[in-house]
Structure formats: structure tokens, C-alpha cells
């Protein structure tokens, strides 16, 4: 398990921006995939974005493409989610996650405690 601590959530108006941060403590996890998920009230947790730390490849939920950007600072063991043009439907608890390459989020993922993002209309 990888200890993960998120920060940066909050309340923002529609059209605004937020940047989430997730710090992984301990050793450097260079071969890990880092990601962000979210869960809105009454809905299942869904994948938002991920990045392969070794190669830099990224993946995004279709509805956030062009608005959200995932990035890492490997020296700081930190992953970021820059969220622009936020919409009320982006309101959710956002979770940082990490897993070894080639594994599944469900079986081998580590999860942070979550940070609330609320977008007002």
C-alpha cells in the first residue's frame, strides 16, 4: 500500500478552476500508474484520469478531456489534477490512487482519503 494524501479541493463557481494535489509518501514509485477518481452522491466511483509515471502516457474520462490535465512531479512524488472550466456535474469527492503497472485499480490500488470538490452554478 502507498500512503496518499490529497489536497486542493474546495468550492468554486462554474467556469472556475481548481488544482488537486496528491502526495505519495515513502519511497519513489517510478513504475506506478497514478490516477484520479471521483464519486458523486448516489453514484458509483468513476475513473477521471491517470498517468504512467515511467512513460508519461495519460488517459482521461471523455467528459473531462480538454478541461482537466493530470501531471506529476516525480522529484516530489506528487501527482496533480488541474481542473479548468469546471461544471456543476464535476461536483464529487475526488480520490487519488496508485497502482503498480500491469495491475488493476480494484485489486492492487492504493487510495487517498478523498477531497471534496463543489462547483456551484
Amino acid at each position: 500500500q502507498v500512503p496518499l494524501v490529497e489536497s486542493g479541493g474546495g468550492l468554486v463557481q462554474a467556469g472556475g478552476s481548481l488544482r488537486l494535489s496528491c502526495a505519495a509518501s515513502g519511497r519513489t514509485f517510478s513504475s506506478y500508474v497514478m490516477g484520479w477518481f471521483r464519486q458523486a452522491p448516489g453514484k458509483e466511483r468513476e475513473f477521471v484520469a491517470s498517468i504512467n509515471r515511467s512513460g508519461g502516457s495519460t488517459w482521461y474520462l471523455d467528459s473531462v478531456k480538454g478541461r482537466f490535465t493530470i501531471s506529476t512531479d516525480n522529484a516530489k512524488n506528487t501527482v496533480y489534477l488541474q481542473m479548468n472550466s469546471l461544471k456543476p456535474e464535476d461536483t464529487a469527492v475526488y480520490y487519488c490512487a496508485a497502482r503498480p503497472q500491469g495491475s488493476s485499480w480494484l485489486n492492487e490500488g492504493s487510495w487517498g482519503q478523498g477531497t471534496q470538490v463543489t462547483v456551484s452554478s
Side-chain angles (χ1 to χ4, degrees):
Q1 291 291 308
V2 177
L4 301 169
V5 179
E6 302 105 330
S7 60
L11 173 64
V12 64
Q13 289 188 334
S17 298
L18 283 174
R19 189 178 80 156
L20 306 182
S21 300
C22 173
S25 60
R27 61 183 174 89
T28 301
F29 302 94
S30 59
S31 62
Y32 271 61
V33 179
M34 305 294 294
W36 290 94
F37 288 69
R38 66 187 182 187
Q39 187 167 18
K43 295 187 177 181
E44 294 186 351
R45 189 173 298 188
E46 67 176 352
F47 169 85
V48 176
S50 66
I51 184 167
N52 185 319
R53 292 190 63 182
S54 62
S57 298
T58 57
W59 296 266
Y60 293 96
L61 178 68
D62 282 347
S63 63
V64 307
K65 286 180 180 177
R67 300 189 298 121
F68 291 10
T69 303
I70 188 170
S71 62
T72 62
D73 183 335
N74 289 341
K76 295 182 179 180
N77 251 9
T78 300
V79 60
Y80 304 97
L81 185 68
Q82 177 67 44
M83 305 185 293
N84 298 329
S85 302
L86 283 161
K87 304 175 181 180
E89 51 263 44
D90 294 318
T91 295
V93 177
Y94 283 70
Y95 296 90
C96 176
R99 62 171 175 82
Q101 290 183 33
S103 68
S104 72
W105 296 109
L106 179 63
N107 293 330
E108 297 188 56
S110 298
W111 299 87
Q113 81 285 357
T115 185
Q116 177 70 46
V117 172
T118 303
V119 185
S120 62
S121 57

